[in-house]
Amino acid sequence: MRGKATQFDSDNPDVLAAYQAETNGEYLLAIELYKKALEKDPDLGIVYKHIGNVYYRLAMLQDAVDYLVKATEKLPNFPTAWYELGLAYYRQVKIKQGINCLHKVLEMDKNFIMAHYWLGIMNSHYGHLREAKKHYLVVTENNPDFAIAFYHLGSINIRLGFYQQAIENLTYVIEKNPDSPSTHCLLGDAYMNLDKRYEARKEYQKALALDPEDRKAKRGLSLLEDFDDVVF
């Protein structure tokens, strides 16, 4: 007896063929086959999710949202369906809807690290900097190898005026990746805000050594009167 479990089944021949087409990059064929499976069994909730993901890959965002909404209706307790819907909303610049979806993900799985990461990004865009910081802290505390989260956390701390914390965040990124001109440049900004001009100059110079075209680093040095001919 299978009952509602059929909504998760992948033994449907059309679904299996769609998987193969999707793997081969034949996305339109995959959509056609997934829809064929739904015609036979509209309760295959996972298939709505797959179609939404394929549309997302094709940047057909409204179609992606339509199918992912249906997936969340069929699979209300399936966190990845809400996660993918949240990212689709984000790509449509429907930031608040994206945030709401990712909060639903965390209601089901508070340790869903990528949901915290994207909540950091979305809240940053939405202007909720302290909320963004809270989520980036969850990511960095649970995954010390997630360097970009430390970078974003450093940027948020600069915007919030926590310059010493930003220096700690960005120094950690440099320890992981010393060849990141954007991190050196942002670290220079943090030092500049603390009026540590010597340290700021060193970081801007490192950024320029790595990328001679880095205008942000040139601008920082121009503020330190090292450059007089910067064109922006």
Side-chain angles (χ1 to χ4, degrees), residues 153-225:
L153 180 57
S155 177
I156 288 290
N157 273 323
I158 289 175
R159 293 170 68 184
L160 287 171
F162 296 111
Y163 304 122
Q164 188 57 49
Q165 289 181 33
I167 288 168
E168 292 169 8
N169 304 146
L170 297 166
T171 299
Y172 185 83
V173 178
I174 294 297
E175 289 171 358
K176 293 285 185 181
N177 179 13
D179 298 327
S180 171
S182 60
T183 306
H184 283 292
C185 203
L186 201 56
L187 187 52
D189 291 347
Y191 279 123
M192 183 81 88
N193 277 288
L194 288 175
D195 201 30
K196 294 186 175 183
R197 300 168 70 84
Y198 173 75
E199 292 86 349
R201 180 178 286 108
K202 281 177 57 180
E203 295 304 325
Y204 291 137
Q205 288 172 339
K206 288 176 183 176
L208 274 181
L210 291 164
D211 180 5
E213 301 301 316
D214 192 321
R215 290 188 175 186
K216 193 171 185 297
K218 289 181 180 180
R219 181 173 59 192
L221 286 170
S222 73
L223 294 173
L224 293 166
E225 300 177 352

Side-chain angles (χ1 to χ4, degrees), residues 101-146:
C101 287
L102 293 184
H103 278 306
K104 287 184 178 292
V105 173
L106 294 182
E107 288 172 9
M108 290 177 266
D109 182 359
K110 66 180 181 180
N111 296 316
F112 199 127
I113 294 300
M114 289 305 298
H116 283 289
Y117 174 72
W118 281 103
L119 276 168
I121 290 175
M122 292 185 198
N123 276 288
S124 176
H125 288 315
Y126 204 55
H128 294 178
L129 301 186
R130 292 182 183 276
E131 188 72 11
K133 178 176 178 176
K134 181 184 78 173
H135 289 290
Y136 286 135
L137 282 170
V138 173
V139 178
T140 56
E141 287 168 3
N142 284 277
N143 188 343
D145 292 323
F146 207 143

Side-chain angles (χ1 to χ4, degrees), residues 44-65:
L44 285 169
I46 199 71
V47 175
Y48 292 96
K49 179 176 176 293
H50 290 315
I51 296 174
N53 284 332
V54 177
Y55 275 128
Y56 183 88
R57 289 187 183 185
L58 293 170
M60 299 173 69
L61 295 175
Q62 189 54 55
D63 290 307
V65 165

